[in-house]
Amino acid sequence: QQQVKQSPQSLIVQKGGISIINCAYENTAFDYFPWYQQFPGKGPALLIAIRPDVSEKKEGRFTISFNKSAKQFSLHIMDSQPGDSATYFCAASRGNNDMRFGAGTRLTVKP
Amino acid sequence: EAGVAQSPRYKIIEKRQSVAFWCNPISGHATLYWYQQILGQGPKLLIQFQNNGVVDDSQLPKDRFSAERLKGVDSTLKIQPAKLEDSAVYLCASSLTGAKNIQYFGAGTRLSVL
């Protein structure tokens, strides 16, 4: 039962470009929406997260946009760099419980 | 601050054998999670502990998987007997208690079942 749908599956962006990854969720009880970054051979690491009381959160080059009515949220990476090449996962959870991950987006930033 | 420690990093077994994975969370983290990450997919929560009690094991295949956290610190996840479809990376994560849900992940154990 896929409660968080993520797209695209893979993404290729030129250095300096904008990377955009989208997610949609089903369960309106979710109240925490993190994005994780995973490099090969490593565990996922929290990148940025948002709660549904705000529509946007920005940290450096990373921005989450959140649309509660549409049950969608997205990650924007500005000025994408080769070091950003990794797999990105969106997720959603209820408080501290029941975290559901999207299937992941493999991002490649070409120099 | 030391991160989440997992061992072994890699394990190769034959189907129907047993295997166990170990996790030591970040010191002071009361909540511990085990996830299964199949190649090309996102992590799937198997079980969540709060101290030494189980909070959620609804997605744990209990006929073959078991987990314990006896002293409320480190934890073991066991598969007995293993099937081919259990080939995956098994990730352990930990977090502080509370609504701020930052989960810190270990590097995982990559299991290959032949």
Side-chain angles (χ1 to χ4, degrees), chain B residues 32-67:
Chain B
L32 184 147
Y33 315 78
W34 282 102
Y35 289 87
Q36 179 193 57
Q37 186 174 22
I38 293 173
L39 186 64
Q41 298 182 19
K44 171 188 168 185
L45 179 67
L46 293 176
I47 189 167
Q48 177 180 337
F49 292 95
Q50 180 75 22
N51 296 306
N52 60 350
V54 176
V55 173
D56 182 1
D57 63 357
S58 57
Q59 299 190 91
L60 186 73
K62 298 180 186 64
D63 57 335
R64 298 183 301 106
F65 286 65
S66 64

Short mmCIF file of all heavy atoms in Angstrom, two decimals, chain B residues 32-67:
data_model
loop_
_atom_site.label_atom_id
_atom_site.label_comp_id
_atom_site.label_asym_id
_atom_site.label_seq_id
_atom_site.Cartn_x
_atom_site.Cartn_y
_atom_site.Cartn_z
N LEU B 32 13.80 3.58 18.59
CA LEU B 32 14.65 2.85 17.64
C LEU B 32 13.75 2.22 16.59
O LEU B 32 12.67 1.70 16.89
CB LEU B 32 15.46 1.78 18.38
CG LEU B 32 16.48 0.98 17.57
CD1 LEU B 32 17.68 0.63 18.45
CD2 LEU B 32 15.89 -0.25 16.95
N TYR B 33 14.21 2.29 15.35
CA TYR B 33 13.46 1.79 14.20
C TYR B 33 14.31 0.81 13.39
O TYR B 33 15.51 1.02 13.23
CB TYR B 33 13.07 2.93 13.25
CG TYR B 33 12.51 4.18 13.89
CD1 TYR B 33 13.35 5.11 14.50
CD2 TYR B 33 11.14 4.47 13.84
CE1 TYR B 33 12.84 6.28 15.05
CE2 TYR B 33 10.63 5.62 14.40
CZ TYR B 33 11.49 6.52 15.00
OH TYR B 33 10.98 7.68 15.55
N TRP B 34 13.65 -0.20 12.85
CA TRP B 34 14.26 -1.06 11.85
C TRP B 34 13.49 -0.89 10.55
O TRP B 34 12.25 -0.97 10.53
CB TRP B 34 14.22 -2.53 12.26
CG TRP B 34 15.25 -2.93 13.26
CD1 TRP B 34 15.07 -3.13 14.61
CD2 TRP B 34 16.63 -3.23 13.01
NE1 TRP B 34 16.25 -3.52 15.20
CE2 TRP B 34 17.22 -3.60 14.25
CE3 TRP B 34 17.43 -3.23 11.87
CZ2 TRP B 34 18.57 -3.95 14.36
CZ3 TRP B 34 18.77 -3.58 12.00
CH2 TRP B 34 19.32 -3.93 13.23
N TYR B 35 14.23 -0.67 9.45
CA TYR B 35 13.65 -0.54 8.13
C TYR B 35 14.26 -1.57 7.19
O TYR B 35 15.43 -1.96 7.34
CB TYR B 35 13.94 0.85 7.53
CG TYR B 35 13.21 2.01 8.17
CD1 TYR B 35 13.74 2.66 9.28
CD2 TYR B 35 12.01 2.48 7.63
CE1 TYR B 35 13.08 3.74 9.85
CE2 TYR B 35 11.35 3.56 8.19
CZ TYR B 35 11.89 4.18 9.30
OH TYR B 35 11.24 5.26 9.86
N GLN B 36 13.46 -1.97 6.22
CA GLN B 36 13.94 -2.81 5.12
C GLN B 36 13.96 -1.96 3.85
O GLN B 36 12.94 -1.35 3.50
CB GLN B 36 13.03 -4.02 4.93
CG GLN B 36 13.44 -4.95 3.79
CD GLN B 36 12.34 -5.94 3.45
OE1 GLN B 36 11.22 -5.55 3.13
NE2 GLN B 36 12.64 -7.23 3.55
N GLN B 37 15.11 -1.91 3.16
CA GLN B 37 15.18 -1.15 1.92
C GLN B 37 15.59 -2.09 0.80
O GLN B 37 16.76 -2.47 0.67
CB GLN B 37 16.17 0.01 2.02
CG GLN B 37 16.17 0.90 0.79
CD GLN B 37 17.04 2.14 0.92
OE1 GLN B 37 17.97 2.20 1.72
NE2 GLN B 37 16.74 3.16 0.12
N ILE B 38 14.61 -2.46 -0.02
CA ILE B 38 14.86 -3.28 -1.18
C ILE B 38 15.44 -2.39 -2.28
O ILE B 38 15.08 -1.21 -2.39
CB ILE B 38 13.57 -3.97 -1.63
CG1 ILE B 38 13.15 -4.99 -0.56
CG2 ILE B 38 13.73 -4.65 -2.98
CD1 ILE B 38 11.80 -5.62 -0.79
N LEU B 39 16.34 -2.94 -3.07
CA LEU B 39 17.03 -2.18 -4.11
C LEU B 39 16.05 -1.42 -4.99
O LEU B 39 15.09 -1.98 -5.51
CB LEU B 39 17.87 -3.13 -4.96
CG LEU B 39 18.78 -2.48 -6.00
CD1 LEU B 39 19.85 -1.62 -5.33
CD2 LEU B 39 19.41 -3.52 -6.90
N GLY B 40 16.27 -0.10 -5.09
CA GLY B 40 15.43 0.72 -5.94
C GLY B 40 14.16 1.21 -5.28
O GLY B 40 13.32 1.83 -5.94
N GLN B 41 13.99 0.93 -4.00
CA GLN B 41 12.79 1.35 -3.28
C GLN B 41 13.16 2.19 -2.06
O GLN B 41 14.31 2.22 -1.63
CB GLN B 41 11.98 0.13 -2.84
CG GLN B 41 11.48 -0.72 -4.00
CD GLN B 41 10.64 -1.89 -3.51
OE1 GLN B 41 10.13 -1.89 -2.38
NE2 GLN B 41 10.46 -2.88 -4.38
N GLY B 42 12.16 2.84 -1.50
CA GLY B 42 12.35 3.57 -0.26
C GLY B 42 12.32 2.64 0.93
O GLY B 42 11.83 1.51 0.84
N PRO B 43 12.88 3.08 2.04
CA PRO B 43 12.85 2.25 3.25
C PRO B 43 11.41 1.96 3.69
O PRO B 43 10.53 2.82 3.57
CB PRO B 43 13.56 3.12 4.30
CG PRO B 43 14.39 4.08 3.51
CD PRO B 43 13.61 4.34 2.26
N LYS B 44 11.21 0.76 4.19
CA LYS B 44 9.90 0.34 4.70
C LYS B 44 10.06 0.01 6.18
O LYS B 44 10.89 -0.82 6.55
CB LYS B 44 9.40 -0.89 3.93
CG LYS B 44 8.16 -1.54 4.51
CD LYS B 44 7.89 -2.86 3.79
CE LYS B 44 6.84 -3.68 4.49
NZ LYS B 44 6.66 -5.00 3.86
N LEU B 45 9.26 0.66 7.01
CA LEU B 45 9.35 0.43 8.45
C LEU B 45 8.94 -0.99 8.80
O LEU B 45 7.86 -1.45 8.42
CB LEU B 45 8.47 1.42 9.19
CG LEU B 45 8.44 1.30 10.71
CD1 LEU B 45 9.79 1.65 11.32
CD2 LEU B 45 7.34 2.18 11.32
N LEU B 46 9.80 -1.69 9.53
CA LEU B 46 9.47 -3.03 10.01
C LEU B 46 8.96 -2.99 11.44
O LEU B 46 7.95 -3.61 11.78
CB LEU B 46 10.70 -3.94 9.92
CG LEU B 46 11.21 -4.27 8.52
CD1 LEU B 46 12.49 -5.10 8.62
CD2 LEU B 46 10.16 -5.02 7.73
N ILE B 47 9.69 -2.28 12.30
CA ILE B 47 9.33 -2.25 13.71
C ILE B 47 9.88 -0.99 14.34
O ILE B 47 10.93 -0.49 13.94
CB ILE B 47 9.83 -3.52 14.44
CG1 ILE B 47 9.26 -3.61 15.87
CG2 ILE B 47 11.35 -3.59 14.45
CD1 ILE B 47 9.47 -4.97 16.51
N GLN B 48 9.13 -0.47 15.32
CA GLN B 48 9.54 0.72 16.07
C GLN B 48 9.45 0.41 17.55
O GLN B 48 8.44 -0.10 18.03
CB GLN B 48 8.62 1.89 15.72
CG GLN B 48 8.92 3.17 16.49
CD GLN B 48 7.98 4.30 16.10
OE1 GLN B 48 7.40 4.30 15.02
NE2 GLN B 48 7.83 5.28 16.99
N PHE B 49 10.54 0.71 18.27
CA PHE B 49 10.60 0.54 19.71
C PHE B 49 10.61 1.90 20.40
O PHE B 49 11.22 2.85 19.93
CB PHE B 49 11.89 -0.18 20.14
CG PHE B 49 11.99 -1.61 19.73
CD1 PHE B 49 12.63 -1.99 18.57
CD2 PHE B 49 11.45 -2.61 20.54
CE1 PHE B 49 12.74 -3.32 18.20
CE2 PHE B 49 11.56 -3.95 20.19
CZ PHE B 49 12.21 -4.30 19.01
N GLN B 50 9.96 1.97 21.54
CA GLN B 50 10.09 3.09 22.45
C GLN B 50 10.68 2.49 23.73
O GLN B 50 10.02 1.71 24.41
CB GLN B 50 8.74 3.75 22.74
CG GLN B 50 8.77 4.92 23.68
CD GLN B 50 9.33 6.16 23.04
OE1 GLN B 50 9.32 6.29 21.82
NE2 GLN B 50 9.82 7.08 23.84
N ASN B 51 11.94 2.84 24.01
CA ASN B 51 12.70 2.14 25.05
C ASN B 51 12.70 0.64 24.71
O ASN B 51 13.13 0.29 23.62
CB ASN B 51 12.15 2.46 26.42
CG ASN B 51 12.33 3.94 26.75
OD1 ASN B 51 13.44 4.47 26.67
ND2 ASN B 51 11.24 4.61 27.08
N ASN B 52 12.22 -0.23 25.58
CA ASN B 52 12.24 -1.64 25.23
C ASN B 52 10.87 -2.18 24.85
O ASN B 52 10.68 -3.39 24.73
CB ASN B 52 12.85 -2.47 26.37
CG ASN B 52 12.05 -2.33 27.66
OD1 ASN B 52 11.17 -1.49 27.75
ND2 ASN B 52 12.34 -3.16 28.63
N GLY B 53 9.91 -1.27 24.62
CA GLY B 53 8.57 -1.67 24.23
C GLY B 53 8.31 -1.44 22.74
O GLY B 53 8.82 -0.49 22.17
N VAL B 54 7.51 -2.32 22.14
CA VAL B 54 7.18 -2.20 20.73
C VAL B 54 6.03 -1.20 20.54
O VAL B 54 4.97 -1.34 21.16
CB VAL B 54 6.77 -3.57 20.14
CG1 VAL B 54 6.32 -3.41 18.69
CG2 VAL B 54 7.92 -4.55 20.24
N VAL B 55 6.27 -0.19 19.68
CA VAL B 55 5.25 0.80 19.37
C VAL B 55 4.45 0.39 18.14
O VAL B 55 3.23 0.53 18.10
CB VAL B 55 5.90 2.18 19.15
CG1 VAL B 55 4.87 3.19 18.64
CG2 VAL B 55 6.58 2.68 20.41
N ASP B 56 5.17 -0.14 17.14
CA ASP B 56 4.53 -0.49 15.87
C ASP B 56 5.30 -1.62 15.23
O ASP B 56 6.50 -1.48 14.98
CB ASP B 56 4.49 0.74 14.96
CG ASP B 56 3.80 0.49 13.62
OD1 ASP B 56 3.30 -0.65 13.39
OD2 ASP B 56 3.74 1.42 12.79
N ASP B 57 4.65 -2.74 15.02
CA ASP B 57 5.27 -3.83 14.27
C ASP B 57 4.30 -4.36 13.22
O ASP B 57 4.33 -5.54 12.84
CB ASP B 57 5.75 -4.96 15.19
CG ASP B 57 4.62 -5.62 15.96
OD1 ASP B 57 3.46 -5.19 15.83
OD2 ASP B 57 4.90 -6.59 16.71
N SER B 58 3.41 -3.48 12.75
CA SER B 58 2.35 -3.90 11.84
C SER B 58 2.88 -4.39 10.49
O SER B 58 2.20 -5.14 9.79
CB SER B 58 1.36 -2.75 11.62
OG SER B 58 2.03 -1.60 11.11
N GLN B 59 4.07 -3.95 10.09
CA GLN B 59 4.60 -4.37 8.80
C GLN B 59 5.73 -5.41 8.95
O GLN B 59 6.42 -5.70 7.97
CB GLN B 59 5.10 -3.15 8.02
CG GLN B 59 4.00 -2.12 7.74
CD GLN B 59 4.44 -1.04 6.78
OE1 GLN B 59 4.28 -1.16 5.57
NE2 GLN B 59 5.01 0.03 7.32
N LEU B 60 5.88 -5.95 10.11
CA LEU B 60 6.91 -6.97 10.35
C LEU B 60 6.34 -8.35 10.02
O LEU B 60 5.31 -8.74 10.59
CB LEU B 60 7.35 -6.94 11.82
CG LEU B 60 8.52 -7.85 12.19
CD1 LEU B 60 9.82 -7.29 11.65
CD2 LEU B 60 8.58 -8.04 13.70
N PRO B 61 6.96 -9.09 9.10
CA PRO B 61 6.48 -10.46 8.80
C PRO B 61 6.82 -11.38 9.97
O PRO B 61 7.89 -11.98 10.04
CB PRO B 61 7.27 -10.83 7.53
CG PRO B 61 7.88 -9.57 7.03
CD PRO B 61 8.08 -8.69 8.23
N LYS B 62 5.90 -11.49 10.87
CA LYS B 62 6.19 -12.12 12.17
C LYS B 62 6.42 -13.62 12.09
O LYS B 62 6.91 -14.22 13.05
CB LYS B 62 5.07 -11.81 13.15
CG LYS B 62 4.90 -10.32 13.44
CD LYS B 62 3.79 -10.07 14.41
CE LYS B 62 3.53 -8.57 14.59
NZ LYS B 62 3.06 -7.92 13.34
N ASP B 63 6.06 -14.23 10.94
CA ASP B 63 6.31 -15.67 10.83
C ASP B 63 7.81 -15.97 10.70
O ASP B 63 8.26 -17.07 11.00
CB ASP B 63 5.55 -16.25 9.64
CG ASP B 63 5.90 -15.56 8.32
OD1 ASP B 63 6.33 -14.38 8.35
OD2 ASP B 63 5.74 -16.21 7.27
N ARG B 64 8.59 -14.96 10.27
CA ARG B 64 10.02 -15.23 10.07
C ARG B 64 10.93 -14.16 10.66
O ARG B 64 12.11 -14.39 10.85
CB ARG B 64 10.32 -15.36 8.58
CG ARG B 64 9.60 -16.52 7.91
CD ARG B 64 9.99 -16.66 6.45
NE ARG B 64 9.67 -15.44 5.68
CZ ARG B 64 10.58 -14.59 5.26
NH1 ARG B 64 11.86 -14.80 5.53
NH2 ARG B 64 10.22 -13.53 4.55
N PHE B 65 10.40 -12.98 10.93
CA PHE B 65 11.19 -11.87 11.46
C PHE B 65 10.86 -11.68 12.93
O PHE B 65 9.71 -11.77 13.35
CB PHE B 65 10.86 -10.56 10.72
CG PHE B 65 11.42 -10.45 9.33
CD1 PHE B 65 10.99 -11.30 8.32
CD2 PHE B 65 12.35 -9.48 9.02
CE1 PHE B 65 11.50 -11.18 7.03
CE2 PHE B 65 12.86 -9.34 7.74
CZ PHE B 65 12.43 -10.20 6.74
N SER B 66 11.92 -11.38 13.70
CA SER B 66 11.72 -11.02 15.10
C SER B 66 12.74 -9.96 15.47
O SER B 66 13.80 -9.86 14.86
CB SER B 66 11.85 -12.23 16.02
OG SER B 66 13.18 -12.75 15.96
N ALA B 67 12.40 -9.16 16.45
CA ALA B 67 13.33 -8.12 16.91
C ALA B 67 13.16 -7.94 18.40
O ALA B 67 12.08 -8.16 18.94
CB ALA B 67 13.07 -6.81 16.17
#
